[in-house]
Amino acid sequence: MTEITIFENDSEGQNSSNHRNKYESYQLEIDPLQGDRAVCLKITSFARPHMRAFHCAWWGYFMAFNMWFAISPLQSEIQRSLQISNEQLWTASIAGVGGTICMRFLFGPLCDKYGPRTLMALSLCFAAVPTALTGTIRSATHLTVLRLLIGTVGGTF
């Protein structure tokens, strides 16, 4: 474990005695002049806060990616079983991208207010419901609405 020394004056000439660490010590080497950011990665570690945040971020991205692209490989089977046209299938796909674009516009100011972790968690929880309901669709309209709702998770990446 690396000993952390907080300097009397940081690079901006401000007194660092006001510098507060959220944790008494860190499992990784940090740079106190850059907000206690880690300067290295230990992939097999789940130590707080740096590595736990790293693993939660890639896992959340992985889940969002899988939700967003879950229907794509099944489109030919969905088209055949619902007996929908190519235009209806494309409309549903466009609705999915439209949901992503809308969420990206909303996430910008909301990230400033609530933070990215909260919004990503809420988006993943929200999109999990329509993803789980994929097998219940019975028409092109249901498919389009479902793709729109699942498309909201695309705003996380």
Side-chain angles (χ1 to χ4, degrees):
M1 187 178 318
T2 304
E3 178 102 10
I4 300 169
T5 305
I6 299 181
F7 303 103
E8 285 300 316
N9 290 315
D10 62 15
S11 62
E12 297 173 5
Q14 298 172 348
N15 189 347
S16 292
S17 60
N18 294 334
H19 180 87
R20 286 180 255 145
N21 294 337
K22 186 172 181 179
Y23 298 90
E24 291 291 323
S25 64
Y26 295 102
Q27 297 292 321
L28 299 174
E29 184 179 345
I30 61 157
D31 184 357
L33 300 178
Q34 292 189 13
D36 291 346
R37 291 184 181 173
V39 295
C40 63
L41 288 175
K42 291 184 181 177
I43 300 296
T44 58
S45 172
F46 284 89
R48 292 183 80 169
H50 302 96
M51 293 313 300
R52 187 168 299 175
F54 171 76
H55 289 299
C56 287
W58 76 258
W59 183 251
Y61 177 81
F62 176 74
M63 290 178 51
F65 184 84
N66 280 333
M67 279 190 248
W68 204 52
F69 288 108
I71 295 179
S72 296
L74 303 172
Q75 283 186 345
S76 61
E77 182 62 33
I78 291 171
Q79 184 178 18
R80 189 170 54 246
S81 65
L82 295 179
Q83 298 175 349
I84 60 177
S85 67
N86 283 336
E87 291 80 19
Q88 291 170 317
L89 192 64
W90 279 104
T91 300
S93 297
I94 291 169
V97 174
T100 298
I101 292 169
C102 290
M103 289 311 288
R104 287 190 182 190
F105 280 117
L106 289 174
F107 276 4
L110 291 175
C111 274
D112 292 338
K113 186 170 184 174
Y114 299 109
R117 288 181 294 184
T118 303
L119 291 176
M120 185 169 191
L122 289 174
S123 178
L124 289 172
C125 290
F126 172 77
V129 175
T131 303
L133 294 174
T134 300
T136 65
I137 56 175
R138 298 285 177 238
S139 68
T141 304
H142 291 158
L143 179 62
T144 302
V145 170
L146 189 81
R147 291 296 302 261
L148 176 69
L149 295 175
I150 293 173
T152 60
V153 80
T156 61
F157 53 85

